[in-house]
């Protein structure tokens, strides 16, 4: 297979961000509809969260994207409670999102996410102007991975990271429950290739990366670098910290 150089890898842009986000939510909701009741209490790769908790987090994140007031409420809570989470305001915010929805049944969680997802996407798309360039700090400590940048532009968060979060949590739920998501479209390729481009740019070293399965592809940066061959979803789980990685696979990507 012909390798893609870094500059030719398709990235998620502001122009297609809403469409990609909609596909990610659709993939997730389709999977959730097929879970049995017992699956919702299954532990996931995210410490302390079962499937129900993970969906509660995703509902809360979507509500924050849909409403600036709600985003502010969650952000203020995260900063106030950061000390209890090793100084990580995002962990404190995520905990609030989970606790806000503990009273919901599985069916109610699905209904809530289905209702808020389109509003969340519209809220993300509305983010414009100088606000898109505003750097948002990433707190060290807590569940944050070493090697991530100290901040990210809000536009990148809105266009890309929130969609990666939905996509990878769908993978987390697959792994926890054994129920497979629908991977018949090109969503996996779009999300994985975008993340590969970030990963290559972050470490800047020569490498030939061959990813197999849904979302796969071959990528090359520089010459005479090491070769890495693995499943595309396993690669995403590794660079996001779900699985241990060594060498270049220890270079993190923001999911």
């Amino acid at each position: 297979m012909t390798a893609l150089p870094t500059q030719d890898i398709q990235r998620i842009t502001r122009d297609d961000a809403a469409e990609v986000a909609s596909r990610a939510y659709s993939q997730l909701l389709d999977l959730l509809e097929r879970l049995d009741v017992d699956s919702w209490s299954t532990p996931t790769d995210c410490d302390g969260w079962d499937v129900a908790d993970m969906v509660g987090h995703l509902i809360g994140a979507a509500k924050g994207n849909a409403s600036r007031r709600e985003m502010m409420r969650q952000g203020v809570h995260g900063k106030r409670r950061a000390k209890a989470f090793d100084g990580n305001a995002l962990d404190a915010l995520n905990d609030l999102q989970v606790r806000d929805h503990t009273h919901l049944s599985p069916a109610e969680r699905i209904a809530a996410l289905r209702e808020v997802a389109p509003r969340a996407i519209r809220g993300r798309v509305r983010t414009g102007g100088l606000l898109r360039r505003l750097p948002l700090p990433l707190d060290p400590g807590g569940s944050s991975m070493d090697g991530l940048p100290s901040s990210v532009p809000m536009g990148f968060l809105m266009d890309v990271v929130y969609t990666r979060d939905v996509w990878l949590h769908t993978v987390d739920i697959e792994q926890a429950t054994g129920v497979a998501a629908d991977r018949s479209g090109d969503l996996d390729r779009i999300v994985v290739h975008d993340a590969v481009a970030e990963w290559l740019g972050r470490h800047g070293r020569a490498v030939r990366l061959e990813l197999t399965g849904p979302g796969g592809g071959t990528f090359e940066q520089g010459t005479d670098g090491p070769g890495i061959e693995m499943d595309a979803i396993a690669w995403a789980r590794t660079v996001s910290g779900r699985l241990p990685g060594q060498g270049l696979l220890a270079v993190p990507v923001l999911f």
Side-chain angles (χ1 to χ4, degrees), residues 9-10 15 22 51 59 61 85 92 107 143 175 186 189 197 200 227 235:
I9 300 173
Q10 180 181 350
D15 291 337
S22 179
V51 171
I59 296 168
F85 293 84
S143 65
Q175 295 293 321
D186 62 353
R189 176 187 60 79
L200 291 171
W235 175 85

Side-chain angles (χ1 to χ4, degrees), residues 41-103:
S41 59
T42 307
T44 70
D45 283 336
C46 295
D47 288 345
W49 284 3
D50 60 18
V51 171
D53 294 331
M54 187 166 282
V55 176
H57 151 65
L58 290 167
I59 296 168
K63 286 181 176 179
N65 291 155
S67 164
R68 293 288 184 262
R69 178 176 293 181
E70 174 62 14
M71 182 180 288
M72 182 79 68
R73 180 186 78 91
Q74 294 182 16
V76 169
H77 175 91
K79 289 184 180 301
R80 287 177 175 172
R81 292 285 297 153
K83 187 175 180 180
F85 293 84
D86 196 22
N88 193 307
L90 180 59
D91 283 352
L93 182 154
N94 289 342
D95 178 70
L96 173 67
Q97 293 168 345
V98 171
R99 290 189 290 105
D100 277 349
H101 301 98
T102 54
H103 63 287

Side-chain angles (χ1 to χ4, degrees), residues 115-206:
E115 185 279 328
V116 75
R119 294 193 289 114
I121 295 170
R122 288 195 297 271
R124 287 160 56 183
V125 169
R126 282 199 307 269
T127 305
L130 293 175
L131 199 58
R132 292 182 60 81
R133 296 195 290 273
L134 183 70
L136 297 180
L138 298 178
D139 295 332
S143 65
S144 294
M145 296 176 66
D146 291 336
L148 287 174
S150 59
S151 66
V152 295
M154 182 174 282
F156 178 62
L157 189 70
M158 295 296 174
D159 294 346
V160 177
V161 176
Y162 279 118
T163 294
R164 288 182 185 172
D165 190 54
V166 172
W167 180 84
L168 192 57
H169 283 322
T170 302
V171 172
D172 292 332
I173 293 169
E174 276 187 304
Q175 295 293 321
T177 65
V179 180
D182 179 3
R183 301 198 175 278
S184 58
D186 62 353
L187 173 67
D188 303 304
R189 176 187 60 79
I190 293 169
V191 175
V192 171
H193 286 210
D194 181 84
V196 167
E198 180 186 340
W199 177 75
L200 291 171
R202 180 152 295 154
H203 64 68
R205 293 168 58 185

Side-chain angles (χ1 to χ4, degrees), residues 205-221:
R205 293 168 58 185
V207 65
R208 182 180 176 88
L209 177 67
E210 297 185 43
L211 298 179
T212 59
T218 302
F219 314 89
E220 192 162 35
Q221 179 164 270

